[in-house]
Amino acid sequence: MGERAEATPPDATPPDATARVDGTPDDGTPVDGTHTAFSTTRLEAFSDGVFAIAITLLVLDLAVPPRDGLAGRSLLHALGAEWPSYFAYLVSFAVIGIIWVNHHVLCGLVRQADRLVLFANLFLLLTVSVIPFPTRLLAEYLTAPGDSHVAAAIYSATMLTMAIAFTLLFLAITRDARLLHNPLDRATVQQALRRFSIGGVFYLITIGLSFVSAVLTLVVHALLAAYYCFDQLSATRA
Amino acid sequence: MGERAEATPPDATPPDATARVDGTPDDGTPVDGTHTAFSTTRLEAFSDGVFAIAITLLVLDLAVPPRDGLAGRSLLHALGAEWPSYFAYLVSFAVIGIIWVNHHVLCGLVRQADRLVLFANLFLLLTVSVIPFPTRLLAEYLTAPGDSHVAAAIYSATMLTMAIAFTLLFLAITRDARLLHNPLDRATVQQALRRFSIGGVFYLITIGLSFVSAVLTLVVHALLAAYYCFDQLSATRA
Amino acid sequence: MGERAEATPPDATPPDATARVDGTPDDGTPVDGTHTAFSTTRLEAFSDGVFAIAITLLVLDLAVPPRDGLAGRSLLHALGAEWPSYFAYLVSFAVIGIIWVNHHVLCGLVRQADRLVLFANLFLLLTVSVIPFPTRLLAEYLTAPGDSHVAAAIYSATMLTMAIAFTLLFLAITRDARLLHNPLDRATVQQALRRFSIGGVFYLITIGLSFVSAVLTLVVHALLAAYYCFDQLSATRA
Amino acid sequence: MGERAEATPPDATPPDATARVDGTPDDGTPVDGTHTAFSTTRLEAFSDGVFAIAITLLVLDLAVPPRDGLAGRSLLHALGAEWPSYFAYLVSFAVIGIIWVNHHVLCGLVRQADRLVLFANLFLLLTVSVIPFPTRLLAEYLTAPGDSHVAAAIYSATMLTMAIAFTLLFLAITRDARLLHNPLDRATVQQALRRFSIGGVFYLITIGLSFVSAVLTLVVHALLAAYYCFDQLSATRA
């Protein structure tokens, strides 16, 4: 009656609370490796930390032209020459922001996590926290004649891997109804997987597109981010 | 009577709790994109992370003069020459700190967030997390004859964008009474928007002022931060 | 009966909960600047973020000698020459860790924060988040003949400022009994202030000591940290 | 029946809540240093922050080859030459991720922390937050003829220290039944310590192995991480 929003409803036995309070001695397993249920609180806190840091670290790669390196150009001109880093910054910021929103939605379904979920989540966090690297790479090479294709392909492959990691996390969570607040019916799961697959195909296409034009590839990533963003906003109103 | 601030009142059905527990199957929307209500817990946690990182990353731009680059000057002299970076550091720290306090106050009104709020919040976080870049830029160019104006204008434009993003978040939150703990009357909203507009006009003026004097512009930003700080402190006692 | 540790007791009217739920319309003040009570949850979350980032950013200044810059020396020899940065790293890590524990204890007294507390806390966070800078400075100049004194004095002055900021936060919190879970009697406050003053005097002495020997100054900071650490551990058992 | 995992059981007097609410005036100790019980909420929040930052900062050491430094090589070729940094990155990411999972499990046993636990936890966080340094070191020197051994030994010694720190934290937590949700029987503690010892012996072996082959040492660290990961996953199903 006075529970917090995250609390489990009063009429349900909260398995994670039990697990933590009891130290799960009931199954006789040793203390250091066999808790089978986790509250999602720390999973979310740790994930939020990684998302927040990855999205904020991107700013470190917005280079300030050194004052004695302008070589007669104006600052504005020198900054203008850095447009690939601003462009890549904005796209990567949007991508991490959207995946955070999706992670938020996905975690909202979870009643408790087990180790497979924790490790699937860690794999997703790996793909998220690495994003500043391909972003820096693409910013540096976006206008390099031949190498731009390699940089764009690595950037696109990172996004594809992130999409796959998100799908794996979804599968890890939905594989066991006990992990969920409410069981999902098969149709809902299928529909979600279909959506993920379409997203994956798009990212696969951007890898191919990288060898046509790196700039165009980044534009497509920006459009995909905008699409996901508006798609979710329209879901708000639906 | 004994709930925490985040708790839903005992006499109300907590919509976010419901949303998370039920997975909102009631509207028949798929699981991966159509939750319509979010608890504010993770919104605040993620935002706090970004604020905390942005405000702490500023320190990375306080450059230590390399020991073999002093060229006969004393360390104190070399550090003194870095005053623009200390000045810019303090102003940006104060600005991020104040916007965090304001964000805190604004989130205190929110009972639940929807996607529009999440994305408006992401836009605000974009403007906050980018602040180390114009700060570094202004520190580097504050005393550069012509380029100081450009650097100061970019710094001021960032602040203006942040003010606009905050106003948009306020509008996103107050547009729907269901998102609030208590509906705000029209007069309160109008008064808040008037205040935001005045702040926006001041930031607009600093963009113009940038082309007069970059140092003066940074002084004005410091005074604005001090004003907001004392304005809020006096509100404490009121 | 089932509240969390942070919850206000069921028999008390929680002012922060009221403030957030009601949007404080009762005093007729506008929404954007006049909430007078804050839950401490976000204050702690934001502070924890800043502490965690500042303490972790220190590692960025543990420089790896570039492979092609060894000039015939072995790596071990080159790393050994970096001992000032390891020493400064460990001392600063301990200092931030201890101040975090103290902050933890202090926040445990607080039932609700007002704006003065928020800004006093921001000032403390400023002094904490800046620590990587004097740490880097001292590491670079610890063995520089004349400049080591300046670097050590700046390091010590940062610690003194942090101690002052902590005292100000303590005063801001204890100035108003309504902010506390339980009012503190005058003797307890006096005793705490006396302890803080003694700490401040010690830090003042380290500023003077800086002009005798920078290395000795850092040793004293290490001893002070060790003293505070063991002092608190003995308090555990008392 | 409906409490969250962190909640104290309804039939028990929550000692941490008492400590925070009362300010422990009962033992007459001064306010600034003698609280004897802490809620684990902030301990976990601060720890999660440090873990999240350390794991994300690793990405800063994935160097992008400068565009004008390729010297005729293709980008792909230049990136390929950086394989030690990717390899070290992945291993360190896995190690921090696994220690986070273990920390999560360990904290799940804790009902309240005292200062010894806080400081033991700080020591563990020191060993975790320093990991980006030996990672960078090993990445730089993995293929350096003689110095690779030193770099690998330092990396291995960091892991050993982390394992020791984890054991100390376990001992600090289990030394006093009042700190636990449920007392652990002696056999469980012994079994856990035996497991920790075996892990420690393995890390000790990697220090020796470092002087045989740095690459092989990193491979063994990768295998150890994979073993711990799968070991924990199998515990999920047990």
Side-chain angles (χ1 to χ4, degrees):
Chain A
M1 304 212 26
E3 286 76 23
R4 300 180 58 211
E6 298 86 341
T8 48
D11 50 336
T13 310
D16 44 335
T18 312
R20 299 193 66 173
V21 169
D22 297 353
T24 50
D26 43 317
D27 61 359
T29 47
V31 69
D32 63 313
T34 46
H35 260 244
T36 52
F38 300 92
S39 123
T40 58
T41 309
R42 277 195 74 184
L43 177 71
E44 293 184 353
F46 180 66
S47 303
D48 280 344
V50 171
F51 278 109
I53 298 154
I55 212 170
T56 315
L57 280 186
L58 290 170
V59 77
L60 295 183
D61 292 310
L62 294 180
V64 168
R67 196 164 148 179
D68 49 9
L70 289 184
R73 293 182 304 171
S74 74
L75 173 59
L76 206 58
H77 187 260
L79 287 172
E82 297 279 349
W83 68 267
S85 64
Y86 310 138
F87 190 13
Y89 170 81
L90 287 174
V91 175
S92 291
F93 191 99
V95 167
I96 298 179
I98 289 166
I99 195 82
W100 174 76
V101 173
N102 286 331
H103 189 264
H104 190 127
V105 172
L106 191 53
C107 285
L109 303 173
V110 180
R111 194 182 61 173
Q112 67 180 50
D114 62 2
R115 279 169 206 275
L116 189 62
V117 170
L118 289 193
F119 282 104
N121 190 61
L122 264 181
F123 180 49
L124 177 64
L125 293 182
L126 172 65
T127 66
V128 168
S129 70
V130 88
I131 284 179
F133 173 63
T135 304
R136 217 181 315 156
L137 192 72
L138 188 52
E140 178 86 5
Y141 287 92
L142 190 64
T143 56
D147 290 329
S148 67
H149 302 308
V150 173
I154 290 173
Y155 188 88
S156 301
T158 307
M159 298 303 156
L160 176 62
T161 313
M162 193 179 70
I164 292 170
F166 192 82
T167 307
L168 291 176
L169 179 58
F170 178 81
L171 289 171
I173 286 171
T174 56
R175 82 184 196 286
D176 185 343
R178 288 171 301 174
L179 300 178
L180 300 170
H181 288 300
N182 282 306
L184 293 181
D185 62 287
R186 184 181 282 264
T188 305
V189 171
Q190 295 294 339
Q191 189 177 344
L193 288 176
R194 214 158 30 234
R195 280 181 61 119
F196 297 160
S197 304
I198 294 171
V201 167
F202 269 104
Y203 285 129
L204 205 59
I205 290 172
T206 61
I207 296 182
L209 191 60
S210 301
F211 295 97
V212 179
S213 162
V215 174
L216 188 61
T217 304
L218 193 52
V219 169
V220 170
H221 281 292
L223 292 176
L224 280 172
Y227 169 75
Y228 278 124
C229 182
F230 284 106
D231 181 46
Q232 297 191 324
L233 287 181
S234 67
T236 303
R237 280 170 230 118
Chain B
M1 297 292 293
E3 286 75 25
R4 298 180 59 212
E6 296 85 342
T8 48
D11 50 336
T13 309
D16 43 339
T18 312
R20 298 192 67 172
V21 170
D22 297 353
T24 49
D26 42 317
D27 60 1
T29 46
V31 69
D32 63 314
T34 45
H35 260 245
T36 51
F38 300 92
S39 122
T40 59
T41 308
R42 276 195 74 184
L43 178 71
E44 293 183 354
F46 180 67
S47 303
D48 280 344
V50 171
F51 278 110
I53 297 154
I55 212 170
T56 315
L57 280 186
L58 290 170
V59 77
L60 294 184
D61 292 310
L62 295 180
V64 169
R67 196 165 148 179
D68 49 9
L70 289 184
R73 293 181 305 171
S74 74
L75 173 60
L76 207 59
H77 187 261
L79 286 172
E82 298 280 347
W83 69 266
S85 64
Y86 310 137
F87 190 13
Y89 171 80
L90 287 174
V91 175
S92 292
F93 191 98
V95 166
I96 298 178
I98 289 166
I99 194 80
W100 175 76
V101 173
N102 286 331
H103 189 264
H104 190 127
V105 172
L106 191 54
C107 286
L109 304 174
V110 180
R111 194 182 61 172
Q112 68 179 51
D114 62 3
R115 279 169 206 275
L116 188 63
V117 170
L118 290 193
F119 283 105
N121 190 61
L122 264 182
F123 180 49
L124 177 64
L125 293 182
L126 172 65
T127 65
V128 169
S129 69
V130 87
I131 284 179
F133 173 63
T135 304
R136 217 180 315 154
L137 192 72
L138 189 52
E140 178 86 4
Y141 287 92
L142 191 64
T143 56
D147 291 328
S148 68
H149 303 308
V150 173
I154 290 173
Y155 188 87
S156 301
T158 307
M159 299 303 156
L160 176 62
T161 313
M162 192 179 71
I164 292 171
F166 192 82
T167 307
L168 291 177
L169 178 59
F170 177 82
L171 289 172
I173 286 170
T174 56
R175 83 183 197 286
D176 185 344
R178 288 172 302 173
L179 300 177
L180 301 171
H181 287 302
N182 281 305
L184 293 180
D185 61 288
R186 183 182 283 266
T188 305
V189 172
Q190 295 294 339
Q191 191 177 342
L193 289 176
R194 212 155 34 231
R195 280 181 62 121
F196 296 160
S197 303
I198 294 170
V201 167
F202 269 104
Y203 284 128
L204 205 59
I205 290 173
T206 61
I207 296 181
L209 192 60
S210 300
F211 295 98
V212 179
S213 162
V215 175
L216 188 61
T217 304
L218 192 54
V219 169
V220 169
H221 280 292
L223 292 176
L224 280 173
Y227 168 75
Y228 279 122
C229 183
F230 283 107
D231 181 47
Q232 297 191 324
L233 287 181
S234 67
T236 304
R237 280 170 229 118
Chain C
M1 307 241 346
E3 285 77 23
R4 300 179 58 208
E6 297 84 341
T8 48
D11 50 337
T13 309
D16 45 334
T18 312
R20 298 191 69 173
V21 170
D22 297 353
T24 51
D26 43 316
D27 60 2
T29 46
V31 70
D32 63 315
T34 46
H35 260 243
T36 52
F38 300 92
S39 123
T40 59
T41 308
R42 276 195 74 183
L43 177 71
E44 292 183 355
F46 179 67
S47 303
D48 280 344
V50 171
F51 278 110
I53 298 155
I55 212 169
T56 314
L57 280 186
L58 290 169
V59 77
L60 294 184
D61 292 309
L62 295 180
V64 168
R67 197 164 149 180
D68 48 8
L70 290 184
R73 293 180 306 171
S74 74
L75 173 59
L76 207 59
H77 187 261
L79 286 173
E82 298 280 348
W83 68 267
S85 64
Y86 309 137
F87 190 12
Y89 171 80
L90 287 174
V91 176
S92 291
F93 191 99
V95 166
I96 298 178
I98 289 166
I99 195 81
W100 175 76
V101 173
N102 286 331
H103 189 264
H104 190 127
V105 172
L106 191 54
C107 286
L109 304 172
V110 180
R111 195 181 60 174
Q112 68 179 52
D114 62 2
R115 280 170 205 275
L116 189 62
V117 170
L118 290 193
F119 283 104
N121 190 61
L122 264 181
F123 181 49
L124 177 64
L125 294 182
L126 172 66
T127 66
V128 168
S129 70
V130 87
I131 284 178
F133 173 63
T135 304
R136 217 181 314 156
L137 192 72
L138 189 52
E140 178 87 4
Y141 286 93
L142 191 63
T143 57
D147 290 328
S148 68
H149 303 308
V150 173
I154 290 173
Y155 188 88
S156 301
T158 306
M159 298 303 156
L160 176 61
T161 313
M162 193 179 70
I164 292 171
F166 192 82
T167 308
L168 291 177
L169 178 58
F170 178 80
L171 289 171
I173 285 170
T174 56
R175 83 183 197 285
D176 185 343
R178 289 172 301 173
L179 301 177
L180 301 170
H181 288 300
N182 282 304
L184 293 180
D185 62 287
R186 183 181 283 265
T188 304
V189 172
Q190 294 295 338
Q191 191 177 342
L193 288 175
R194 213 156 33 232
R195 279 180 62 120
F196 296 159
S197 304
I198 294 170
V201 167
F202 269 104
Y203 284 129
L204 205 59
I205 290 172
T206 60
I207 296 182
L209 192 61
S210 301
F211 296 97
V212 179
S213 163
V215 174
L216 189 61
T217 304
L218 192 53
V219 169
V220 170
H221 280 293
L223 292 175
L224 280 173
Y227 168 76
Y228 279 122
C229 182
F230 283 107
D231 181 48
Q232 297 190 324
L233 287 181
S234 67
T236 302
R237 281 169 228 119
Chain D
M1 298 291 294
E3 286 76 24
R4 299 179 60 212
E6 296 87 340
T8 48
D11 51 336
T13 309
D16 44 338
T18 312
R20 297 192 67 171
V21 170
D22 297 354
T24 51
D26 43 317
D27 61 0
T29 46
V31 69
D32 63 313
T34 46
H35 260 244
T36 51
F38 300 92
S39 124
T40 58
T41 309
R42 276 195 74 183
L43 177 71
E44 293 184 354
F46 180 66
S47 302
D48 281 344
V50 171
F51 279 109
I53 298 155
I55 212 170
T56 315
L57 280 187
L58 291 170
V59 77
L60 294 184
D61 292 310
L62 295 180
V64 169
R67 196 165 148 177
D68 49 7
L70 289 184
R73 292 182 305 171
S74 74
L75 173 59
L76 206 59
H77 187 261
L79 287 172
E82 299 280 347
W83 68 267
S85 64
Y86 310 136
F87 189 13
Y89 171 81
L90 287 174
V91 175
S92 292
F93 191 99
V95 167
I96 298 180
I98 289 165
I99 194 81
W100 175 77
V101 173
N102 285 332
H103 189 265
H104 189 127
V105 172
L106 190 54
C107 285
L109 304 173
V110 180
R111 194 182 60 173
Q112 66 181 51
D114 62 2
R115 278 168 206 275
L116 189 63
V117 171
L118 289 193
F119 282 104
N121 190 61
L122 264 181
F123 180 50
L124 177 63
L125 294 183
L126 172 66
T127 66
V128 168
S129 69
V130 88
I131 284 177
F133 173 63
T135 304
R136 218 180 314 155
L137 191 73
L138 189 52
E140 177 87 6
Y141 287 93
L142 191 64
T143 57
D147 291 328
S148 68
H149 303 307
V150 174
I154 290 173
Y155 188 87
S156 301
T158 306
M159 298 304 155
L160 176 62
T161 314
M162 192 178 71
I164 293 171
F166 192 82
T167 308
L168 291 177
L169 178 59
F170 178 81
L171 289 171
I173 285 170
T174 56
R175 83 184 196 286
D176 185 343
R178 288 172 301 173
L179 300 178
L180 300 171
H181 288 299
N182 282 305
L184 294 180
D185 62 287
R186 184 182 283 264
T188 305
V189 171
Q190 295 294 338
Q191 191 178 342
L193 288 176
R194 213 157 32 233
R195 281 181 60 120
F196 296 160
S197 304
I198 294 170
V201 167
F202 270 104
Y203 284 129
L204 204 59
I205 290 172
T206 61
I207 296 181
L209 192 61
S210 301
F211 295 97
V212 179
S213 162
V215 175
L216 188 61
T217 305
L218 192 52
V219 169
V220 170
H221 280 291
L223 293 175
L224 280 173
Y227 168 75
Y228 279 124
C229 182
F230 284 107
D231 181 47
Q232 296 191 325
L233 286 181
S234 67
T236 302
R237 279 170 230 120

